[in-house]
Amino acid sequence: MTLAPSVMAAMKPTFKKNSRKKEDDKNRFRFKSFNERVSDITIGVARRLDEVQDLDEDAETFLHQSLQKWRELNCTAHFSDACRQLPHAQSLPQVLHNQVAIVEALKKNLLVPNTLALQPLLDLVLQLARDLQSDFYVYFEDFFKIFVTLLNTSNPETIEQVFTTLAFLVKFLWHCLLKHIGPVFSYYKVLLSSNQKPYIVAFAAESFAFLVRKLKKRSQFVSHVAASLNDDTYCEGVGLLLFESVKGVRMQFHSATELLLSAWLPAVGHPSNHHGNEDMVLAALLRCMQEMAEYTRQEHCSFIWPLLLGYVNSLVDQYVASSKSEEQSDSTPALWAHIERVLRLVQKWVNWRWGYRMSDPALVYKCVNNVLRSAPAVAASSAAVQDVVSDLVQYGRPFDADMAKPAVQKVLSSLECGEVLNFAHRLISLGHRGIEVVENIRGIVERYATDEQNYATLLVFLAKLSQKSQDEGYVDEAQLFNLKSMPSTARMIARTCQPARTSEREDGVLDTCTSNVQRVWCAASAIHICRSMPSQSDVSRSLHSWRCALAHQLQQVSSQSSGSKGGSVLERGNTVLSFGLHGVVKALISLEGADDFLQSCSVDWVIELLRMSPADIHILKTVLTVLDAIVAATSATSTDDNSTAVLTLDHLSAVFEELKPNLSHPIQPVRLATLQILSRFPQPLMSSEEKGSAKELCDVIQRCLDAQQSEATLNEFREKIRLLELLKYIHSRQEQCPEIYMEVALRYLIGCFYVNFQPIWSPVAESIASYITQTYRKVFWRVYSEHLEVSTSRCVAVARASGTLEASDSVTIATTVSGVFQAGQVLASPTAEENRVDHFNFRMQLWRTMTSFTSSAEASTRHLVPIFLSFVREEYSFLDDAVLKHQDLRPADQRSVAADCSAAGLESGDCEMRDEEEDLDDSRVLAHQDSKKQNRRALFKTLSTMLTLFSKFIDPRSAHREEEMKQLMLQLLCHREEDIQRLSLQFLMAYKLPFLLPYSEKLFDLLKETGFREALTHFSVDEESETVKPQHRTELLPYLIRIVYGRMLRNTGMATAGKQGSSLRRGVVLRFLAGCPGEEMKVFVQLITAPFQTYFPADCELSFDNLPSLDVSSVVPLRKQQGFLIMLGQMFSHLRTVLPPYLPHLLRIVLCVASWTSQLLKITRSHAADAGTSCAIDTRAGPLLRTIRQLVLARLAEAFASFSNYDFQPYMKSVLNVAVWPQLGALPHECLDHPTPLMKLLLGWSQRQRFLCYFSTPTPDELDGSILHFVFSCLKSSAVRPPVVSAIMQLVDNLLNNGEEPGTSDLEPSAKRRRVATSAEVTSSEHTDLTHVRGNVAAEAATSSSAPKREQSEGEKLLLPHLHLILEHLGSLV
């Protein structure tokens, strides 16, 4: 046989490892997800008929032929069992005679879980159907239900095999299935439910559509399907089934499409086809229409419009005839409801992709006009008719206003006030198309303005129209309204602006409750859009009263919010007042004009308004509106002498002091409005050193404004960078800059870090760094340190408030005064994108910028070090387990109450941060998991950036609070991230310590992920080696141990082998540390026991009877307890020779952890027993507590086994109380599959004679029995596994040997007891007879009776009460 060259090349061995593939080589075998594998499944029965084999010459049945084929192809046990169960089926008479037995055997084997014979069994079912033909129909339903069960799998191959079989069955049995199409659909529709996977619904619809297309009596089938749609879960599936029925090839439709749709349309609620499920049938048809529109092209769907519109016209004729006939008047409402549902189908086809499927809008307009003529009042108020008309106006191509006006006018002329205005606003909102088709809108508004009942509705309409025109700008209000010709509307607005007498308070100030503010804002919006109106003076006086009242209330609210801690409610009230004031001021300027408005409103009022809330966007917009009016008025009447008489430099100075913080505000519209306000004032002149030279205006505000108005997008960011570079520090210009503008450019550049566009951050940082000059240094650090402190406080606030629900920016359809006001408020506020501020990134960019001027930063550590230490203490310590000290295990509700009662609750360490893969978090972290993960990553990046700056310091000894910084860096040397370790080590290297510098290269090599083991091998710490000089060992090893300890903690990431490789890394490090003498291991022991140092120091007196008490609100983090116990197990394995000096301290911690865990689990069990009480701890901590309990027992067992010569006598009482007794009662239930840690502990005790006495220790009162009673109770269970039995028999053998290792007993050989057979030995002897065993025991007893009596050993005494349990178990095995 000759192999192909490609095969031979593939078989050729490759000796080069990890070789890169050439660029032209392509991997032909790409991993596919489940969805991709499912999408690749194609079931085309017509194309796969050639795969169905015909009968061979020597074969009589398809079943026998398939059986012979699969016996050779499938040799699994499952198929062999199925073949043995099948009766003879070699001939057709045998198949007919044994068909029931064959069917039952196939059904039984198809239901075998995880069968390996699924494909041959499905083929046998198919071949049986070919043999039985029409007789197989009686079994089709049973097999179909089995197929449905088999589809509940995640194996695409199984799904393909099942559906292929089902499709072929439908193909072979379609004659029989068509005769019983109704019952078949009744059980087939389970696959069309929305509860099924989408691919199952698609396959089912495609297979059943084959039958639907062959139907002759379509109306009967449609009636049956419509009547069976009693659940909305089948609507989508039935709609997909209908689409597959009409689907053709090449984006065309089947020839029976018109007949099928004509049969389905009456099912949407025609009186002659009433079934009660009209809405569900409509949902199914809408899904069908959606799929049809997406599938086809314009040239292939020309028949759809005549079909739908012709059916609507026929229904209209029936409706007209029914409304005129008295006998059939009862069916008239149902007929109209049917028309509305069909119009919904028309609308779906009209608005698909903005009218892309609408070939001739005139036909649709004609149909709609016909509907409106038949029943003007009913049709005009119909939502379906209004939707169709609106979509026609919006999406009609080409647009013809004359064609749309008749339908629009018929709707408007037949509606009531509210409906007319809503529909008119809906059309006007469409833009110029809507404005052209809405005629006489002034007459409509004026007609309803005289009706007091329509007062609120009309006000809402005018406010919505004003809101739309201001936001989108395509509605020309001047062409629509002029209130001088609309007296009724003018009087209504004037009456709205005038406050009622009941709203006057005793102090003469208007009542500014929210409802009144909303009402006045709507009226002010109407004034703004209506341009001019009669009775202008009265309205102006009313609006000025509201302006003063709102400003007065704003001042009160601002003073209250500044003196209160929680001001969220006050802030919302402040926003309502400021937004209402903005609307009133705009209305006054629009009504009076700038000149008249300025006579009653001075610049001082504007300055006072800014002092109330300088960062409120609505206040800023109000001030900007007033200043624009002032500028417009002064420019119109200005001369060379009085051009700046209104706005002066003194006003600029007063305003600038209030707006200065806004230059670096997080919100972009606030920064923009601030710069626009400052630009409206006259700018000061630049100072000049040359006498007599002309002075120029300072243009720094204009430069900042130009940069702010430039968008940060991929198309325009280069222009923005160019404008930002103009703000760099230039000595000559900065010296000439006016004093009040000294900080403008720097503050604005700092605020640019809030822009969420990375390409501009580096240019901004370069521009900021240019301000580090000798003359500007003091100003720079005053501004920069201010922003560092503010950014830290904002990050803390964000971290504490993370996960809270924010108000939605979505604008709903407003139909009330309050709704319109809220919608306008949302539109006038910053958008969600503008409010998406990343305070963590802002702070990180500030610190990253300082790395470009580290020398200046090093001289300013008095500003930086306190912020850094505060960050680690107040932020990072709560989100990193390396520095976390406590965890609060109380439930979230109790913890929140405690936090409210104590203001220091946020600083008491009440939350814990673990790895992102950890599955148990503090409940406060779990409540806001997503936001906490984001904060976690941001804080880590921030810490890395801060350390990058400090690592570049040349002389850290001169830093502010140097000792604290050094201790913190030593602590961060133990961090699990190599970047943090490297930066901390760089900072410490700057001290130039003589014991550290010679080993700097080797220490940094240990921090590299690649080559870690090699670096660890070269850095030997053995005293015999000369790697570390003797005079350096004492001071160097604490640094070295901290570094390798941090490397040991890293268990995830690149080249770490994940969590599975963490034990290997720990083993390497521990073997490295094994070369240290015992006294040098003190640092390592202190590191792993650091979380417990708060409760008992290492040098405290040992007292195992008085373990530290438990405080549920402040315990050692559970993850740290678990990590300590895992580490301790590996220390027992690798550091056995150097641990004895530290064993008392380690054992005390283990016993303390056991005591805490026992108490916490006891609390959890008491809560589970009494469901009516609230648990004192978070119940989600239960799984981890049980894991810690098992680890404690495992470590104790290892300690007794590893340190056999150690004196454990002082610890035994505590071991029994906190470890053995709490778990002993559950031993018969838990120790069934494998030996538990408690069983291993007892097995270890049985190997030492000095521990046998503890088997007879009296148990507590709640435990009924001794230790061995619970051990041998495991043998009573029928589910006990051989490993457990072997362990118990080994324990019995140890007790018979009196707790001594084999070969170490001092007894004579004749005095040794016969060794008890283990479970494996008993079961291996298949011919052992129980009578023979009992005979041997009796013979031995007789022999022993004749021998001289001796005293029983201690182990025998312990076993004697439980001998019957051992014999019963051995007897059950024979």
Side-chain angles (χ1 to χ4, degrees):
M1 181 178 63
T2 302
L3 297 178
S6 59
V7 178
M8 297 180 65
M11 295 174 61
K12 184 178 181 180
T14 303
F15 299 100
K16 186 177 179 180
K17 296 183 179 180
N18 299 328
S19 60
R20 292 180 175 269
K21 292 186 177 182
K22 296 182 180 179
E23 295 182 358
D24 54 349
D25 291 343
K26 294 183 179 179
N27 185 6
R28 295 174 296 172
F29 305 98
R30 186 180 64 86
F31 170 78
K32 291 186 178 181
S33 64
F34 175 78
N35 292 333
E36 290 176 334
R37 295 170 66 188
V38 169
S39 62
D40 290 342
I41 297 176
T42 55
I43 302 175
V45 178
R47 293 187 295 270
R48 300 176 64 176
L49 284 177
D50 55 344
E51 299 179 8
V52 181
Q53 297 180 356
D54 295 332
L55 279 177
D56 297 336
E57 296 180 357
D58 56 344
E60 298 185 21
T61 63
F62 293 102
L63 180 62
H64 180 69
Q65 178 177 316
S66 178
L67 197 59
Q68 294 299 325
K69 179 187 71 173
W70 286 110
R71 278 175 176 168
E72 297 179 1
L73 298 179
N74 192 302
C75 301
T76 62
H78 291 140
F79 187 67
S80 299
D81 293 342
C83 291
R84 284 194 295 268
Q85 298 174 22
L86 289 173
H88 294 289
Q90 186 172 1
S91 63
L92 187 59
Q94 288 178 338
V95 172
L96 295 175
H97 178 73
N98 299 321
Q99 58 178 316
V100 177
I102 295 173
V103 168
E104 293 299 326
L106 290 175
K107 290 194 296 185
K108 177 182 177 181
N109 288 276
L110 281 172
L111 294 175
V112 173
N114 301 322
T115 178
L116 298 177
L118 181 61
Q119 185 176 3
L121 290 174
L122 291 175
D123 187 58
L124 291 178
V125 172
L126 184 59
Q127 303 308 325
L128 178 63
R130 298 180 67 186
D131 286 331
L132 296 181
Q133 296 182 3
S134 60
D135 293 343
F136 185 81
Y137 171 74
V138 296
Y139 311 113
F140 180 78
E141 182 177 358
D142 296 336
F143 280 108
F144 179 82
K145 293 179 180 179
I146 295 176
F147 293 162
V148 173
T149 305
L150 294 176
L151 288 173
N152 188 18
T153 181
S154 58
N155 187 359
E157 296 179 357
T158 301
I159 297 172
E160 182 178 10
Q161 293 168 7
V162 172
F163 267 110
T164 301
T165 304
L166 185 58
F168 275 106
L169 287 177
V170 173
K171 175 68 176 177
F172 293 146
L173 303 174
W174 70 271
H175 290 285
C176 298
L177 296 177
L178 282 182
K179 296 178 181 178
H180 309 85
I181 190 65
V184 170
F185 179 79
S186 298
Y187 58 77
Y188 205 100
K189 72 175 183 180
V190 68
L191 295 179
L192 301 176
S193 173
S194 59
N195 299 326
Q196 300 285 354
K197 300 293 191 301
Y199 55 85
I200 293 180
V201 178
F203 290 152
E206 186 177 355
S207 60
F208 199 82
F210 173 77
L211 297 176
V212 175
R213 284 194 290 264
K214 293 182 175 296
L215 280 172
K216 300 299 182 182
K217 300 180 180 179
R218 299 181 179 87
S219 58
Q220 297 180 3
F221 172 72
V222 171
S223 300
H224 177 78
V225 173
S228 62
L229 283 180
N230 50 7
D231 191 353
D232 56 358
T233 58
Y234 298 106
C235 296
E236 295 291 324
V238 172
L240 192 59
L241 169 63
L242 180 56
F243 166 68
E244 292 291 342
S245 303
V246 301
K247 178 182 176 182
V249 296
R250 296 183 179 181
M251 300 184 182
Q252 302 181 25
F253 293 108
H254 195 268
S255 57
T257 301
E258 295 189 40
L259 298 176
L260 286 172
L261 291 179
S262 300
W264 274 96
L265 288 177
V268 192
H270 196 275
S272 62
N273 194 3
H274 179 70
H275 43 72
N277 301 326
E278 292 81 6
D279 293 335
M280 297 180 186
V281 176
L282 175 62
L285 283 175
L286 288 174
R287 173 61 190 276
C288 175
M289 289 291 181
Q290 178 72 21
E291 295 292 336
M292 291 173 63
E294 293 179 357
Y295 172 73
T296 188
R297 289 181 178 177
Q298 184 71 26
E299 59 269 19
H300 301 319
C301 60
S302 57
F303 67 94
I304 297 293
W305 286 113
L307 178 65
L308 290 176
L309 300 180
Y311 185 72
V312 172
N313 291 327
S314 64
L315 291 177
V316 170
D317 296 338
Q318 297 178 26
Y319 178 79
V320 173
S322 177
S323 59
K324 295 179 180 179
S325 175
E326 298 180 358
E327 297 179 357
Q328 300 180 3
S329 58
D330 295 339
S331 62
T332 304
L335 192 59
W336 177 253
H338 181 45
I339 295 175
E340 287 185 317
R341 295 190 185 95
V342 178
L343 286 176
R344 288 297 180 187
L345 298 177
V346 175
Q347 182 198 2
K348 171 64 70 173
W349 207 256
V350 167
N351 62 15
W352 187 84
R353 289 194 180 179
W354 308 282
Y356 188 73
R357 291 286 180 260
M358 186 164 45
S359 57
D360 189 2
L363 295 177
V364 188
Y365 276 119
K366 183 178 179 180
C367 179
V368 172
N369 290 328
N370 189 21
V371 174
L372 289 170
R373 281 194 303 269
S374 64
V378 180
S381 60
S382 172
V385 175
Q386 294 181 14
D387 292 343
V388 172
V389 173
S390 176
D391 290 343
L392 283 172
V393 173
Q394 185 175 6
Y395 303 125
R397 299 178 183 177
F399 173 70
D400 189 352
D402 296 334
M403 188 187 305
K405 284 180 181 179
V408 172
Q409 294 306 320
K410 288 178 182 177
V411 174
L412 291 175
S413 61
S414 304
L415 295 177
E416 299 296 332
C417 172
E419 296 176 345
V420 168
L421 296 177
N422 289 334
F423 186 65
H425 178 265
R426 179 177 178 180
L427 293 176
I428 293 175
S429 300
L430 299 179
H432 297 289
R433 287 188 172 190
I435 296 174
E436 291 184 28
V437 299
V438 177
E439 294 181 345
N440 196 22
I441 188 64
R442 300 178 186 177
I444 296 175
V445 173
E446 184 69 10
R447 180 179 60 184
Y448 292 116
T450 58
D451 191 354
E452 200 67 33
Q453 297 179 354
N454 301 321
Y455 158 75
T457 304
L458 187 57
L459 193 62
V460 167
F461 170 73
L462 294 175
K464 287 165 64 176
L465 195 60
S466 174
Q467 177 181 309
K468 179 68 68 173
S469 66
Q470 296 175 44
D471 295 330
E472 302 184 12
Y474 53 69
V475 178
D476 190 358
E477 313 92 351
Q479 298 178 3
L480 291 177
F481 297 103
N482 184 358
L483 289 187
K484 288 185 178 181
S485 61
M486 303 167 63
S488 300
T489 307
R491 285 193 297 269
M492 182 203 70
I493 295 176
R495 188 168 61 253
T496 305
C497 295
Q498 183 179 5
R501 295 180 180 179
T502 55
S503 64
E504 296 281 353
R505 302 191 309 189
E506 295 180 358
D507 55 1
V509 181
L510 300 180
D511 186 5
T512 56
C513 64
T514 302
S515 59
N516 288 342
V517 174
Q518 293 172 349
R519 178 173 52 85
V520 172
W521 178 86
C522 289
S525 300
I527 292 175
H528 176 71
I529 194 176
C530 296
R531 303 294 184 180
S532 59
M533 62 182 300
S535 304
Q536 179 172 325
S537 58
D538 297 337
V539 177
S540 298
R541 282 195 299 269
S542 299
L543 290 177
H544 277 295
S545 300
W546 279 110
R547 178 180 62 82
C548 297
L550 291 173
H552 176 75
Q553 187 65 21
L554 267 173
Q555 185 177 9
Q556 292 184 353
V557 173
S558 300
S559 60
Q560 293 176 9
S561 60
S562 61
S564 60
K565 294 182 179 180
S568 58
V569 178
L570 294 175
E571 290 177 1
R572 287 195 295 269
N574 195 355
T575 304
V576 171
L577 294 172
S578 60
F579 183 63
L581 179 62
H582 184 210
V584 169
V585 170
K586 286 199 305 181
L588 280 171
I589 295 176
S590 175
L591 187 64
E592 296 179 345
D595 294 334
D596 295 340
F597 175 76
L598 295 178
Q599 294 179 2
S600 56
C601 179
S602 62
V603 181
D604 295 333
W605 179 82
V606 173
I607 298 175
E608 290 297 328
L609 192 62
L610 281 175
R611 288 172 179 169
M612 298 177 191
S613 184
D616 191 332
I617 185 61
H618 303 303
I619 294 292
L620 294 175
K621 289 183 177 181
T622 302
V623 173
L624 185 60
T625 302
V626 175
L627 292 179
D628 287 339
I630 293 175
V631 172
T634 54
S635 62
T637 60
S638 63
T639 62
D640 295 338
D641 298 330
N642 60 354
S643 58
T644 57
V646 180
L647 299 177
T648 64
L649 290 177
D650 295 335
H651 294 150
L652 174 62
S653 301
V655 170
F656 182 77
E657 288 302 320
E658 302 297 332
L659 297 181
K660 182 168 60 175
N662 288 355
L663 293 173
S664 56
H665 198 274
I667 307 299
Q668 183 268 341
V670 174
R671 298 196 301 271
L672 177 60
T674 300
L675 291 171
Q676 289 174 340
I677 290 173
L678 293 176
S679 66
R680 299 303 190 268
F681 287 90
Q683 300 302 308
L685 298 175
M686 303 283 287
S687 60
S688 177
E689 297 179 357
E690 300 179 2
K691 296 182 179 180
S693 60
K695 297 181 179 180
E696 58 178 335
L697 293 176
C698 182
D699 60 347
V700 63
I701 294 294
Q702 187 60 42
R703 291 189 179 190
C704 294
L705 181 59
D706 294 340
Q708 182 65 33
Q709 290 176 338
S710 178
E711 297 183 4
T713 60
L714 290 176
N715 295 329
E716 301 182 8
F717 80 94
R718 292 181 179 85
E719 176 64 18
K720 189 175 184 71
I721 291 176
R722 187 189 66 81
L723 295 173
L724 289 172
E725 289 177 348
L726 296 177
L727 298 175
K728 284 185 177 181
Y729 181 86
I730 301 177
H731 178 73
S732 58
R733 293 191 61 85
Q734 195 67 27
E735 290 295 330
Q736 299 174 12
C737 187
E739 184 177 356
I740 64 171
Y741 280 174
M742 291 290 290
E743 306 173 5
V744 170
L746 179 60
R747 287 182 177 273
Y748 173 72
L749 287 172
I750 292 175
C752 288
F753 282 138
Y754 279 115
V755 179
N756 293 319
F757 194 70
Q758 186 176 0
I760 72 169
W761 293 342
S762 295
V764 169
E766 294 177 4
S767 300
I768 292 176
S770 66
Y771 283 83
I772 294 294
T773 60
Q774 190 65 30
T775 57
Y776 199 74
R777 185 185 303 273
K778 184 179 295 185
V779 177
F780 175 85
W781 281 112
R782 176 169 53 81
V783 175
Y784 210 80
S785 60
E786 173 191 341
H787 284 85
L788 288 174
E789 295 174 358
V790 170
S791 65
T792 300
S793 61
R794 285 172 177 170
C795 290
V796 172
V798 169
R800 293 178 180 177
S802 59
T804 56
L805 297 177
E806 298 180 355
S808 175
D809 288 344
S810 60
V811 182
T812 58
I813 299 177
T815 57
T816 62
V817 172
S818 176
V820 174
F821 180 85
Q822 293 175 4
Q825 189 175 356
V826 169
L827 291 173
S829 302
T831 62
E833 181 65 24
E834 294 169 341
N835 276 326
R836 191 172 61 88
V837 178
D838 192 347
H839 294 285
F840 296 98
N841 179 72
F842 175 77
R843 177 174 60 180
M844 186 170 60
Q845 296 301 326
L846 290 178
W847 283 86
R848 184 173 294 169
T849 302
M850 286 189 289
T851 57
S852 58
F853 45 89
T854 54
S855 58
S856 179
E858 187 173 0
S860 305
T861 54
R862 187 170 297 274
H863 300 292
L864 303 180
V865 171
I867 297 175
F868 172 68
L869 295 177
S870 175
F871 162 76
V872 175
R873 182 178 62 254
E874 298 181 4
E875 294 184 67
Y876 193 76
S877 61
F878 291 110
L879 295 179
D880 195 325
D881 53 3
V883 290
L884 182 67
K885 296 182 179 180
H886 307 288
Q887 179 183 2
D888 191 352
L889 289 181
R890 292 175 298 176
D893 51 354
Q894 299 182 17
R895 198 177 318 135
S896 60
V897 171
D900 293 338
C901 297
S902 175
L906 291 174
E907 300 178 358
S908 60
D910 60 343
C911 69
E912 179 182 358
M913 176 65 191
R914 292 69 148 189
D915 257 349
E916 294 182 13
E917 291 84 9
E918 308 291 303
D919 55 357
L920 179 75
D921 292 300
D922 187 277
S923 59
R924 185 164 70 90
V925 177
L926 281 175
H928 316 304
Q929 184 177 4
D930 295 337
S931 57
K932 289 296 181 183
K933 286 183 178 181
Q934 295 176 0
N935 294 347
R936 181 185 315 171
R937 292 189 291 267
L939 289 178
F940 172 76
K941 292 181 180 178
T942 303
L943 176 64
S944 179
T945 305
M946 292 178 174
L947 291 177
T948 302
L949 173 65
F950 290 116
S951 66
K952 295 184 178 182
F953 284 2
I954 300 176
D955 185 15
R957 287 188 176 89
S958 63
H960 181 63
R961 299 167 68 175
E962 177 267 338
E963 188 61 30
E964 295 182 46
M965 288 290 294
K966 185 176 181 180
Q967 292 299 323
L968 179 59
M969 293 300 174
L970 281 174
Q971 186 179 2
L972 291 177
L973 272 183
C974 307
H975 203 279
R976 67 178 59 191
E977 296 295 336
E978 60 177 283
D979 292 339
I980 303 299
Q981 286 185 295
R982 177 176 50 79
L983 295 172
S984 302
L985 183 59
Q986 288 179 0
F987 179 86
L988 295 172
M989 282 294 180
Y991 279 91
K992 297 180 174 58
L993 300 174
F995 61 86
L996 207 58
L997 287 178
Y999 313 98
S1000 61
E1001 184 178 354
K1002 293 184 178 180
L1003 290 175
F1004 282 110
D1005 288 341
L1006 291 176
L1007 298 178
K1008 296 178 181 178
E1009 195 61 51
T1010 57
F1012 170 70
R1013 294 190 180 185
E1014 182 180 356
L1016 203 62
T1017 304
H1018 292 167
F1019 206 144
S1020 177
V1021 293
D1022 293 338
E1023 292 182 338
E1024 294 80 6
S1025 64
E1026 298 180 357
T1027 305
V1028 180
K1029 296 181 180 180
Q1031 64 269 23
H1032 295 163
R1033 290 188 66 91
T1034 305
E1035 296 172 309
L1036 175 64
L1037 283 181
Y1039 288 80
L1040 177 61
I1041 291 176
R1042 282 180 168 86
I1043 291 175
V1044 297
Y1045 177 75
R1047 304 303 297 144
M1048 184 171 52
L1049 294 180
R1050 181 172 173 82
N1051 55 4
T1052 57
M1054 292 289 293
T1056 59
K1059 292 186 176 181
Q1060 296 179 354
S1062 61
S1063 59
L1064 297 177
R1065 179 183 291 264
R1066 290 179 179 180
V1068 171
V1069 173
L1070 291 176
R1071 284 192 294 271
F1072 168 78
L1073 294 177
C1076 297
E1079 62 273 8
E1080 293 179 351
M1081 287 296 298
K1082 184 177 180 180
V1083 176
F1084 182 75
V1085 174
Q1086 289 176 350
L1087 288 175
I1088 66 171
T1089 60
F1092 307 93
Q1093 295 302 321
T1094 306
Y1095 299 91
F1096 40 83
D1099 55 353
C1100 67
E1101 296 182 1
L1102 296 178
S1103 177
F1104 295 98
D1105 295 333
N1106 298 321
L1107 294 174
S1109 59
L1110 176 66
D1111 183 6
V1112 179
S1113 63
S1114 179
V1115 301
V1116 177
L1118 298 183
R1119 283 294 174 187
K1120 287 192 174 183
Q1121 297 184 31
Q1122 182 189 25
F1124 165 75
L1125 293 172
I1126 294 175
M1127 178 72 70
L1128 188 61
Q1130 294 180 318
M1131 291 172 62
F1132 285 163
S1133 175
H1134 297 93
L1135 303 178
R1136 187 179 306 174
T1137 58
V1138 296
L1139 277 186
Y1142 309 101
L1143 195 58
H1145 183 54
L1146 296 176
L1147 285 176
R1148 187 164 186 262
I1149 295 178
V1150 172
L1151 294 176
C1152 185
V1153 171
S1155 175
W1156 294 337
T1157 306
S1158 177
Q1159 297 179 51
L1160 292 173
L1161 288 174
K1162 185 177 180 180
I1163 296 173
T1164 305
R1165 287 193 298 268
S1166 63
H1167 169 67
D1170 188 4
T1173 61
S1174 60
C1175 186
I1177 66 171
D1178 194 342
T1179 55
R1180 287 173 291 189
L1184 188 55
L1185 287 172
R1186 287 187 286 271
T1187 301
I1188 294 174
R1189 179 180 60 189
Q1190 298 299 323
L1191 287 174
V1192 166
L1193 291 170
R1195 296 297 87 83
L1196 289 174
E1198 293 170 2
F1200 280 98
S1202 301
F1203 305 95
S1204 57
N1205 297 326
Y1206 191 80
D1207 183 15
F1208 290 96
Q1209 182 64 30
Y1211 319 115
M1212 294 305 299
K1213 182 179 179 181
S1214 297
V1215 170
L1216 291 172
N1217 290 333
V1218 302
V1220 177
W1221 302 145
Q1223 194 64 10
L1224 187 60
L1227 186 64
H1229 309 289
E1230 295 181 353
C1231 189
L1232 296 177
D1233 294 330
H1234 53 80
T1236 61
L1238 179 58
M1239 178 65 75
K1240 294 178 182 179
L1241 176 64
L1242 299 176
L1243 183 61
W1245 286 359
S1246 68
Q1247 296 174 357
R1248 303 287 183 269
Q1249 185 176 5
R1250 56 196 173 110
F1251 295 129
L1252 297 184
C1253 60
Y1254 296 104
F1255 283 99
S1256 60
T1257 304
T1259 57
D1261 296 337
E1262 60 269 14
L1263 296 176
D1264 186 12
S1266 63
I1267 293 178
L1268 291 178
H1269 168 75
F1270 290 99
V1271 171
F1272 294 125
S1273 295
C1274 298
L1275 299 175
K1276 295 181 181 180
S1277 176
S1278 59
V1280 65
R1281 306 289 294 174
V1284 178
V1285 177
S1286 298
I1288 295 175
M1289 292 306 171
Q1290 182 64 44
L1291 185 145
V1292 172
D1293 189 23
N1294 294 338
L1295 292 178
L1296 289 177
N1297 290 325
N1298 207 25
E1300 297 294 339
E1301 292 292 341
T1304 61
S1305 178
D1306 296 334
L1307 297 176
E1308 295 294 328
S1310 59
K1312 291 185 179 180
R1313 295 294 91 204
R1314 181 182 299 273
R1315 187 171 178 268
V1316 179
T1318 63
S1319 174
E1321 294 170 345
V1322 174
T1323 54
S1324 64
S1325 179
E1326 299 180 357
H1327 305 286
T1328 304
D1329 190 7
L1330 182 60
T1331 306
H1332 179 65
V1333 173
R1334 291 175 179 173
N1336 290 340
V1337 173
E1340 183 180 355
T1343 304
S1344 62
S1345 63
S1346 61
K1349 292 186 177 181
R1350 67 171 182 82
E1351 185 179 357
Q1352 290 181 338
S1353 66
E1354 187 175 359
E1356 292 173 343
K1357 293 178 181 179
L1358 293 172
L1359 286 176
L1360 192 59
H1362 314 285
L1363 186 60
H1364 64 286
L1365 294 176
I1366 302 174
L1367 293 176
E1368 287 180 3
H1369 176 72
L1370 293 176
S1372 64
L1373 296 177
V1374 178

